[in-house]
Amino acid sequence: MARSRYRVALAGGCLFLALSGCGLQTTEVHPTSSPTTSPAPTTPTTTPVTIPADKLNCDNGTIITIQETTNLRLSAEADGPSYTVTHVKAENGNRYATLLGGDKTSGIHEELQLGDSVTHDGVGTFTLIDTSPSNRPSGADGGGGFATFCFEPEDDFNINPDLLN
């Protein structure tokens, strides 16, 4: 009987010690007298973009989408111009893509902002109407953003019929 009282007293003492903070770590929060401040957020500078409705809807042309690292054969002729895009990106609220390509005699290499146009003489006009940057790190296999253009061919340019479907 004496031993069971000793165990109860020992257990009760450990409970008391535990509740009193012996071996128990606590954290107290004390209010500070001055409020903490965080740096003011910076707002990226954006340039408003207005794409004319006829370009956005591509009323006078064909919508084409090119993925980075691919080669788009735009012409029906085997040796006709082909194009690719690079640097499809969004920076400071603006969207960009670089269009490059052409044929053996002429070409273009132009960074466009959403809504910008570039004309390749003898081929037609490309207007950047949408971009979708890649989520993959630069140089990753299988990556590459997309750039969408309204392509308005010149009257005598023979567009690849596969692009019209």
Side-chain angles (χ1 to χ4, degrees):
M1 187 77 145
R3 281 191 175 172
S4 64
R5 283 187 192 159
Y6 179 73
R7 287 184 187 153
V8 171
L10 183 59
C14 288
L15 179 61
F16 174 77
L17 288 174
L19 292 176
S20 67
C22 179
L24 180 67
Q25 295 181 359
T26 62
T27 303
E28 293 182 12
V29 178
H30 298 281
T32 58
S33 59
S34 62
T36 58
T37 59
S38 59
T42 58
T43 304
T45 305
T46 59
T47 304
V49 175
T50 304
I51 303 173
D54 65 321
K55 299 282 188 186
L56 186 60
N57 297 330
C58 207
D59 294 339
N60 302 314
T62 300
I63 294 177
I64 59 171
T65 299
I66 308 171
Q67 183 178 12
E68 286 181 287
T69 71
T70 63
N71 192 20
L72 175 71
R73 300 241 174 244
L74 191 57
S75 175
E77 286 79 37
D79 63 344
S82 63
Y83 299 88
T84 190
V85 293
T86 62
H87 305 105
V88 177
K89 61 189 174 184
E91 289 181 346
N92 299 322
N94 299 314
R95 297 188 290 169
Y96 303 91
T98 299
L99 177 66
L100 42 120
D103 53 27
K104 294 177 182 177
T105 59
S106 65
I108 54 176
H109 184 162
E110 190 78 28
E111 181 179 76
L112 303 171
Q113 182 178 336
L114 200 64
D116 287 349
S117 297
V118 62
T119 299
H120 184 179
D121 290 334
V123 178
T125 301
F126 298 83
T127 302
L128 183 63
I129 59 173
D130 196 16
T131 64
S132 179
S134 173
N135 293 338
R136 292 179 173 266
S138 179
D141 288 341
F146 293 87
T148 301
F149 300 89
C150 174
F151 173 67
E152 297 171 292
E154 290 191 1
D155 292 335
D156 58 343
F157 182 75
N158 191 11
I159 192 167
N160 182 342
D162 293 337
L163 298 175
L164 301 174
N165 298 330

